[in-house]
Amino acid sequence: MSVRKVLQAGTPSLREKSEPITKINKQVIKILDDMIDTMDSYDAVGLAAPQIGVNKRIIVVNPGTGLIELINPVITKCEGEYLDREGCLSVEKYQGDVVRYQSIFVEGLTRTGKRIRFTAKDLLARAIQHEIDHLEGILFVDRALALFEIQQNGEEV
Ligand code: ZN
């Protein structure tokens, strides 16, 4: 397992649509482990595989309520909308106010190939929507109603 370099906005591959995983093999497990190490090392809420240069449909999220790994994640229902501040490891300079669904029903595969389905709300729902956007080549800055420049120490300017 290792912490990987996080690609920054402007890198063309961040704008590509990611490919589904057709077989969960050792390589996929290694990507998942590296994603978790990388997310944890930055104390981030989530990470998508394209951010470490892998254009595959894999995301990890942990908004403080426990780690969730999802392979080929799909949102099948969504409800309500709310605006909140968002950031991204691939967009170091800005945070932004983004409208997201408040509640989503999401499906995907675990690393053992088990299909899981669950309802996610609030920050967990926001994180999953943000990470799935990465799989479509979408960054939060595309959706943000307002952007705020942040300094190196993470404070708003
Ligand atoms: Zn992001």
Side-chain angles (χ1 to χ4, degrees), residues 51 87-90 130-131 134:
Q51 292 182 276
C88 178
L89 291 181
S90 296
H130 176 116
E131 303 313 335
H134 276 297

Side-chain angles (χ1 to χ4, degrees), residues 66-83:
L67 172 69
I68 296 174
E69 307 170 334
L70 285 173
I71 295 166
N72 300 340
V74 179
I75 295 168
T76 54
K77 279 181 207 162
C78 37
E79 215 175 83
E81 285 186 336
Y82 77 116
L83 184 72

Side-chain angles (χ1 to χ4, degrees), residues 21-139:
I21 296 292
T22 51
K23 189 174 179 229
I24 301 171
N25 52 23
K26 275 185 189 165
Q27 194 196 348
V28 171
I29 302 299
K30 166 91 168 91
I31 294 163
L32 267 170
D33 288 340
D34 285 357
M35 287 171 67
I36 293 162
D37 282 353
T38 306
M39 174 174 71
D40 289 347
S41 79
Y42 286 97
D43 212 13
V45 168
L47 194 76
Q51 292 182 276
I52 59 163
V54 178
N55 283 98
K56 300 283 183 189
R57 302 188 81 83
I58 308 172
I59 66 168
V60 293
V61 293
N62 188 355
T65 47
L67 172 69
I68 296 174
E69 307 170 334
L70 285 173
I71 295 166
N72 300 340
V74 179
I75 295 168
T76 54
K77 279 181 207 162
C78 37
E79 215 175 83
E81 285 186 336
Y82 77 116
L83 184 72
D84 208 345
R85 191 66 55 87
E86 231 169 81
C88 178
L89 291 181
S90 296
V91 184
E92 284 177 328
K93 283 190 174 171
Y94 295 96
Q95 291 187 333
D97 286 341
V98 182
V99 176
R100 298 285 187 189
Y101 295 112
Q102 184 112 37
S103 172
I104 58 172
F105 192 73
V106 59
E107 301 187 20
L109 299 174
T110 67
R111 65 167 64 208
T112 59
K114 188 176 166 235
R115 180 161 293 281
I116 52 169
R117 304 174 170 86
F118 58 96
T119 299
K121 290 182 194 296
D122 305 318
L123 182 57
L124 177 60
R126 176 170 291 272
I128 291 170
Q129 289 168 82
H130 176 116
E131 303 313 335
I132 290 178
D133 268 357
H134 276 297
L135 307 183
E136 298 298 322
I138 298 167
L139 299 176

